[in-house]
Amino acid sequence: MDQFKGQPRLPKFAVPKRYDLRLNPDLSACTFSGTVAIDLDIVADTRFIVLNAADLSVNDASVSFTPPTSSKALAAPKVSLFEEDEIMVLEFGEILPHGVGVLQMGFNGVLNDKMKGFYKSTYEHNGEKKNMAVTQFEPADARRCFPCWDEPACKATFKITLEVPTELVALSNMPVMEEKVNGNLKIVSYQESPIMSTYLVAIVVGLFDYVEDHTSDGIKVRVYCQVGKADQGKFALDVGAKTLDLFKEYFAVPYPLPKMDMIAIPDFAAGAMENYGLVTYRETALLYDEQHSAASNKQRVATVVAHELAHQWFGNLVTMEWWTHLWLNEGFATWVSYLATDSLFPEWEIWTQFLDESTEGLRLDGLEESHPIEVEVNHAAEIDEIFDAISYRKGASVIRMLQSYLGAEVFQKSLAAYIKNHAYSNAKTEDLWTALEGGSGEPVNKLMSSWTKQKGYPVVSAKIKDGKLELEQSRFLSSGSPGEGQWIVPVTLCCGSYDMRKNFLLESKSGAYDLKELLGCSIADGSGKTNATCSWIKINVDQAGFYRVKYDDSLAAGLRNATESKSLTSIDRYGILDDSFALSMALQQSLASLLTLISAYKKELDYTVLSNLIVISYKVVKIGADANLELMSAIKQFFIGVFQFAAGKLGWDPKQGESHLDAMLRGEILTALAVFGHEETLKEAVRRFDAFLADRNTSLLPPDLRRAAYVAVMQRANKSDKSGYESLLRVYRETDLSQEKTRILGTLASCPDPDVVQDVLNFVLSDEVRNQDALYGLSGVSWEGREVAWKWLKEKWEYIGATWGSGFLITRFISAVVSPFASIEKAKEAEEFFATRSKPSMARTLKQSIERVHINANWVESIRKEDNLTQLVAQLSQN
């Protein structure tokens, strides 16, 4: 039996075809029992059957295999469970005959509280606390609910039967076929599913309300939520029905199942899960309350619904062959969710906001400890860590880059062909490239391999010399170290206007291009000779390429002027800013030059540009503080000045008929001003918060402003006056809207008083905060609170490990607390602390977090060496 231990994949001598699964969950005892009969095709000589099982007790006497040629069942004399490998090995007395037989067994398990496998979630109904039973099987936890071949390539059909209390709603992937009442229990059997992977099987049992609609071709769509919250499901229902119609057209294949249920689960580790026909969500990602949800909540619901419904084709109908190709599922669903959202809500300018996805991808992939898009996975424990910004965001960004290179129509047609060819089966990355090559005639495989098989991305350095544009590529690392690697880079450039545009591939390390020949223009090269016909050159137009650009001083000056005069699109203004920030962090340019560029954004009003500038401002202020405190206060004043124009234009009160983007921007700008201690903002925020305490429906504090007000209240809180903090806790306790609870949690630790931060962190671990939400409490820890948070993490590590250690959320604790530091000593401390405490599932995150600390520390050192920086910042503030 030992030959099967330590293997990344199950042996291939038996192939499951169909599961007949019966489950009986006991919601008060939090246990379940079940039986499974699996139609199993024996395709090679074997005495063994090897499948996945974990955290289950299997009744050995119930295990039997009935070969195809006989009606006599064979018992398995030896049944062994290997917990480490999460496998179960059955040994029979003889070699099993080839062909389809039936493997049967009975088993028991526990409805756990780890938000994975078959687990319990709690809710209140009429003031009484109740349990619901929920499944979450991706990536490898179906094996915790029933013994199975728990790999994406082992697709089979599923016939599911549940035995549950009569008053409860019991849902699965398929519609109910029959319901028999037996006393106070009912036996619910569902239609057999089409062929699908185990990680997509789903079951939910509890008390729910629902709202219902239909797609244009009659598919029933429902949104289920806690009793009394049905109205909050209407927005997602509308988006869901329209999105299914849209994808049917886009993929040229109808939605394959007879119904689509979407359900809000109170305890849910991820954002949502695309189970075939029964998609599960966190409440914050599915429910929208007209009165108390913010514009950003509405957008989140729309993009998450679109993402999960895209998976019904890309992931469920066509499934990755193994987790190495996870990015095919996630990168694609992320990209296409923007396509759908843009079609439904064009006024949201969602493709501009897509830059946030690319930026997150670029930030993680700028680390030495990143990983390629296609990553080797050798054990189930390693899978969780690749559900990250590389698989989702870099994945989505390279798809956008390829679509922009091939053209939208060719891309869509080739995708439809890919889905048609691989429907009801599995695919690898190469299969997608082959389909796109077939449709476009371009060497897609060659083009894309450099982006998916090696980690990182290039920075393209640009300079003008003797009328020639010289480009050179090298791997970009946030540490500033030289990196290995070469890419096929799709270069797009404009000179002086968007009418003068050129596209070509940079396939070698460097290239020189005659501007006259290329674009029929010339540009000043800093040598003083002026016969320039255009004043700026922008490379990577529309930020369609997944790379950064470093301009020489004269090109950078041209772009700074073009930014100030708004000659560039918002997308390109964003790109110049983000590249400059990254280059400054990587010590490739000074902080002085970054701040000088930022001063060109004082009249900026675009939501996405300003939103990123706010993120950058938080980072720069903290790094400035680590360099020296006088510099920090000068930088705060500078950013207050930069944001004044937009704050003045938007004011505090929403305007009649204003855009969704302005509503989101107002909250973000006011939050930034509060964080930087802008006195008028703090005063006004506290005034409005007091009105809100007196009347939760006051028009003085609409949902879009609440975060800003909560942050302002926490800026004023301290250990001798915690009244504001206590008022916020009261609002937290009184609301039953998850979005309001997480909005509050995300602001509490922004308090500059470490004693208050300590209280907040202890509150986060109390049973008043659901395990899924604890991380919100860590998301905004103030600069002053870092040390307290680190001490707290070390003291509570055993409890944190026991509570979150079996899922992916544990890694977020590490990155949230460790990454913000900026000294080599802290990096050493973290290494030493985790030396004996890390597990394989946290190793990558830990290395990335420690690398970030080193990057911060080097940046701080470099800033300390910049001359007269505080004076320069003061000067920029006055201009």
Side-chain angles (χ1 to χ4, degrees), residues 22-26 31-35 118 161-165 185:
R22 292 182 73 99
L23 288 170
N24 179 352
D26 181 335
T31 57
F32 63 91
S33 58
T35 60
F118 201 11
T161 306
L162 300 177
E163 192 171 324
V164 296
L185 291 175

Side-chain angles (χ1 to χ4, degrees), residues 555-612:
L555 288 175
L559 286 170
R560 190 167 63 242
N561 295 336
T563 297
E564 202 157 10
S565 64
K566 297 267 175 84
S567 310
L568 301 173
T569 61
S570 55
I571 294 185
D572 284 331
R573 297 198 300 278
Y574 179 111
I576 290 161
L577 171 67
D578 202 67
D579 286 352
S580 179
F581 169 61
L583 289 162
S584 180
M585 185 191 293
L587 319 182
Q588 312 246 336
Q589 64 176 51
S590 63
L591 180 61
S593 66
L594 171 63
L595 295 172
T596 307
L597 171 67
I598 288 173
S599 64
Y601 289 79
K602 284 185 173 170
K603 293 272 163 68
E604 185 58 68
L605 286 171
D606 180 82
Y607 167 72
T608 309
V609 178
L610 276 173
S611 185
N612 192 35

Side-chain angles (χ1 to χ4, degrees), residues 137 191 273 287 421 435 460 477 494 534 561 583 599 632 862:
F137 290 163
Q191 291 175 24
M273 175 61 212
L287 305 183
N421 291 341
V460 174
L477 284 169
C494 284
C534 77
N561 295 336
L583 289 162
S599 64
M632 172 184 77
S862 134

Side-chain angles (χ1 to χ4, degrees), residues 50-332:
V50 184
L51 66 165
N52 294 112
D55 304 339
L56 295 173
S57 53
V58 173
N59 174 359
D60 292 7
S62 72
V63 178
S64 70
F65 180 71
T66 309
T69 48
S70 102
S71 55
K72 188 171 158 292
L74 306 173
K78 223 169 157 192
V79 177
S80 300
L81 284 158
F82 296 110
E83 275 300 325
E84 181 82 348
D85 294 294
E86 302 184 342
I87 59 170
M88 175 175 165
V89 182
L90 315 176
E91 187 175 352
F92 293 87
E94 57 192 87
I95 289 196
L96 302 172
H98 291 209
V100 179
V102 179
L103 174 68
Q104 298 196 39
M105 66 187 81
F107 52 90
N108 296 288
V110 171
L111 291 174
N112 68 70
D113 56 1
K114 305 287 184 217
M115 298 185 280
K116 63 190 237 180
F118 201 11
Y119 72 92
K120 69 161 187 185
S121 172
T122 58
Y123 61 106
E124 272 194 17
H125 182 246
N126 295 339
E128 190 188 341
K129 202 170 178 193
K130 291 188 172 293
N131 295 329
M132 63 173 77
V134 189
T135 55
Q136 167 59 39
F137 290 163
E138 190 180 27
D141 294 314
R143 62 191 69 178
R144 288 171 213 288
C145 179
F146 60 99
C148 58
W149 275 256
D150 201 9
E151 295 183 359
C154 300
K155 286 188 162 186
T157 62
F158 290 83
K159 176 84 187 74
I160 292 175
T161 306
L162 300 177
E163 192 171 324
V164 296
T166 42
E167 74 279 6
L168 298 182
V169 174
L171 302 171
S172 185
N173 306 80
M174 299 297 288
V176 174
M177 193 172 77
E178 184 183 29
E179 216 171 271
K180 284 185 191 150
V181 175
N182 180 3
N184 57 0
L185 291 175
K186 58 182 176 182
I187 294 165
V188 187
S189 49
Y190 300 87
Q191 291 175 24
E192 189 160 330
S193 76
I195 176 172
M196 66 191 225
S197 304
T198 48
Y199 77 88
L200 294 167
V201 173
I203 291 156
V204 181
V205 181
L207 278 177
F208 301 100
D209 276 348
Y210 67 83
V211 283
E212 180 180 301
D213 198 354
H214 290 83
T215 64
S216 60
D217 48 0
I219 305 263
K220 189 186 286 178
V221 184
R222 285 180 175 179
V223 171
Y224 284 86
C225 48
Q226 284 185 58
V227 174
K229 291 189 176 183
D231 276 356
Q232 294 176 25
K234 285 178 176 168
F235 175 67
L237 179 69
D238 185 49
V239 170
K242 287 175 175 158
T243 301
L244 286 175
D245 280 338
L246 196 134
F247 286 151
K248 183 183 83 170
E249 296 301 312
Y250 189 79
F251 296 128
V253 172
Y255 170 65
L257 300 187
K259 60 96 174 171
M260 165 51 70
D261 292 333
M262 305 194 285
I263 184 162
I265 306 295
D267 300 281
F268 197 79
M273 175 61 212
E274 68 268 20
N275 314 301
Y276 225 173
L278 174 56
V279 182
T280 45
Y281 294 80
R282 265 186 190 226
E283 292 193 334
T284 51
L286 188 68
L287 305 183
Y288 176 76
D289 179 317
E290 285 293 343
Q291 199 175 356
H292 294 289
S293 297
S296 55
N297 299 132
K298 188 174 201 175
Q299 185 173 303
R300 166 112 178 115
V301 170
T303 52
V304 177
V305 167
H307 178 107
E308 301 311 324
L309 297 189
H311 275 310
Q312 306 302 308
W313 285 263
F314 228 93
N316 301 9
L317 184 61
V318 180
T319 310
M320 67 217 151
E321 194 278 330
W322 179 240
W323 300 102
T324 296
H325 307 282
L326 171 72
W327 85 277
L328 271 183
N329 269 17
E330 299 304 348
F332 193 86

Side-chain angles (χ1 to χ4, degrees), residues 1-51:
M1 284 191 168
D2 285 356
Q3 62 177 314
F4 303 116
K5 287 159 82 170
Q7 302 297 320
R9 310 272 296 255
L10 293 169
K12 304 245 187 310
F13 41 62
V15 181
K17 295 293 180 191
R18 175 182 190 265
Y19 292 81
D20 191 336
L21 175 65
R22 292 182 73 99
L23 288 170
N24 179 352
D26 181 335
L27 295 182
S28 45
C30 291
T31 57
F32 63 91
S33 58
T35 60
V36 67
I38 306 168
D39 293 1
L40 194 62
D41 192 3
I42 306 294
V43 294
D45 288 354
T46 179
R47 282 188 305 118
F48 298 98
I49 291 177
V50 184
L51 66 165

Side-chain angles (χ1 to χ4, degrees), residues 385-403:
E385 273 204 310
I386 57 169
F387 281 80
D388 64 4
I390 302 297
S391 299
Y392 284 71
R393 290 166 162 162
K394 181 181 183 180
S397 302
V398 300
I399 285 166
R400 176 174 175 254
M401 173 164 78
L402 183 60
Q403 188 227 23

Side-chain angles (χ1 to χ4, degrees), residues 775 778-779 781 811-820 849:
L775 284 148
L778 291 178
S779 60
V781 175
T811 61
R812 311 283 165 87
F813 279 88
I814 297 171
S815 54
V817 175
V818 176
S819 305
S849 301

Side-chain angles (χ1 to χ4, degrees), residues 638-780:
F638 167 70
F639 279 117
I640 287 172
V642 171
F643 298 137
Q644 278 303 299
F645 179 73
K649 271 267 191 275
L650 292 164
W652 274 88
D653 295 302
K655 319 256 186 308
Q656 189 63 44
E658 73 179 0
S659 75
H660 165 82
L661 296 169
D662 279 352
M664 293 204 298
L665 180 58
R666 177 181 294 105
E668 288 187 33
I669 286 275
L670 292 170
T671 302
L673 290 173
V675 169
F676 296 147
H678 182 243
E679 200 46 46
E680 286 162 53
T681 303
L682 290 172
K683 260 201 213 116
E684 182 60 17
V686 171
R687 181 181 82 82
R688 288 171 182 257
F689 179 68
D690 289 341
F692 175 67
L693 285 179
D695 169 16
R696 295 298 147 83
N697 298 318
T698 176
S699 61
L700 283 174
L701 203 64
D704 296 312
L705 289 184
R706 283 182 202 164
R707 186 179 153 73
Y710 300 165
V711 166
V713 166
M714 289 313 296
Q715 299 313 295
R716 291 266 168 101
N718 57 61
K719 72 172 172 196
S720 51
D721 178 9
K722 292 184 181 171
S723 58
Y725 170 49
E726 281 152 5
S727 299
L728 267 175
L729 288 184
R730 196 165 79 242
V731 179
Y732 177 88
R733 289 170 179 136
E734 286 171 13
T735 182
D736 73 337
L737 185 68
S738 299
Q739 288 164 350
E740 191 67 89
K741 282 192 188 295
T742 55
R743 184 155 50 221
I744 294 167
L745 279 174
T747 60
L748 296 178
S750 68
C751 180
D753 186 326
D755 289 314
V756 178
V757 173
Q758 178 74 58
D759 286 357
V760 170
L761 295 172
N762 292 336
F763 172 71
V764 160
L765 293 188
S766 72
D767 32 1
E768 289 195 67
V769 178
R770 289 185 187 267
N771 288 349
Q772 64 168 19
D773 293 334
L775 284 148
Y776 287 101
L778 291 178
S779 60

